Amino acid sequence: MQKKLEHFVDQSIEVRESVMPVAQAYGFESYQMDSLNQLISFRDSLHLQYVVAVLTEHGWLGTSVVGKKANISIFLAIQQAPNDQVRERYYPMLEASAQRGESSLAQMATMKDRILVNKKQPQVYGTQWNYVDDKSVLFPLEDVNSVNEKRIEVGLQPLTDEELKTVQSKYQ
């Protein structure tokens, strides 16, 4: 199981490393990018299917059971799922594992923010970014004044003043 989970991570990284070179060579709207996106979706669906089976049988396996890379594989499969229903279903397992020190608090924070942003609610940890007029901006935050304290608590680097200036006041 550990080796298979690790293999999925390697495949995910490999195919995603092709995105920018292909986009630069052929453009984001090209046939080549469409093919690459289909390959990513196909591999992600296989990864997710396997991880859901693992979670159903064993729960969220922590680093002491499967190692760090395989634990990351479980996170990535759920984080990259095509809808929030999957993330919402398995987030409590990740949260419990992270609070036991068996999974990454930063990954827990990232998934929580993604779920919130997709519901058009302010994020807690400032992990989710948007592009507005070709500029990278933070999706709205629950509390700009305490976001860096919360980030430090989960092992994330504080946001810079420049990054905090980009926070959207509302969803666009």
Side-chain angles (χ1 to χ4, degrees):
M1 174 175 22
Q2 180 177 352
K3 292 291 182 204
K4 191 165 187 172
L5 287 167
E6 290 174 351
H7 180 69
F8 278 120
V9 169
D10 293 339
Q11 281 188 326
S12 181
I13 291 168
E14 177 188 341
V15 72
R16 283 173 169 79
E17 284 177 343
S18 303
V19 169
M20 288 314 293
V22 169
Q24 289 170 343
Y26 303 102
F28 282 104
E29 305 299 322
S30 66
Y31 169 78
Q32 291 84 350
M33 275 304 298
D34 286 345
S35 295
L36 185 57
N37 284 328
Q38 287 178 11
L39 177 59
I40 289 169
S41 292
F42 175 70
R43 286 187 177 174
D44 284 356
S45 70
L46 293 177
H47 187 188
L48 179 62
Q49 185 177 19
Y50 181 74
V51 166
V52 165
V54 168
L55 292 172
T56 301
E57 186 172 340
H58 304 285
W60 200 285
L61 299 173
T63 56
S64 68
V65 177
V66 293
K68 185 175 182 178
K69 188 174 182 180
N71 180 262
I72 290 169
S73 178
I74 295 168
F75 165 75
L76 288 174
I78 302 303
Q79 181 71 356
Q80 294 166 345
N83 63 62
D84 265 336
Q85 292 169 331
V86 172
R87 280 181 287 280
E88 288 176 19
R89 179 172 183 188
Y90 295 105
Y91 174 78
M93 287 183 184
L94 169 59
E95 183 179 39
S97 181
Q99 289 175 349
R100 288 190 313 270
E102 285 290 318
S103 295
S104 165
L105 289 168
Q107 290 171 355
M108 179 198 73
T110 300
M111 190 177 294
K112 180 173 186 73
D113 276 356
R114 184 160 185 193
I115 291 167
L116 290 169
V117 164
N118 287 344
K119 289 180 170 184
K120 299 210 180 304
Q121 295 175 0
Q123 59 180 320
V124 176
Y125 300 97
T127 63
Q128 304 298 298
W129 293 76
N130 192 13
Y131 285 96
V132 176
D133 300 327
D134 294 327
K135 293 180 184 167
S136 191
V137 297
L138 276 163
F139 278 107
L141 292 169
E142 181 181 80
D143 185 357
V144 175
N145 296 320
S146 68
V147 69
N148 280 334
E149 293 168 23
K150 291 175 183 172
R151 288 177 65 89
I152 290 167
E153 288 173 6
V154 297
L156 294 169
Q157 293 293 315
L159 295 166
T160 66
D161 289 341
E162 287 301 311
E163 290 170 326
L164 288 171
K165 287 179 186 174
T166 73
V167 177
Q168 294 175 246
S169 60
K170 61 182 178 176
Y171 287 89
Q172 298 180 2

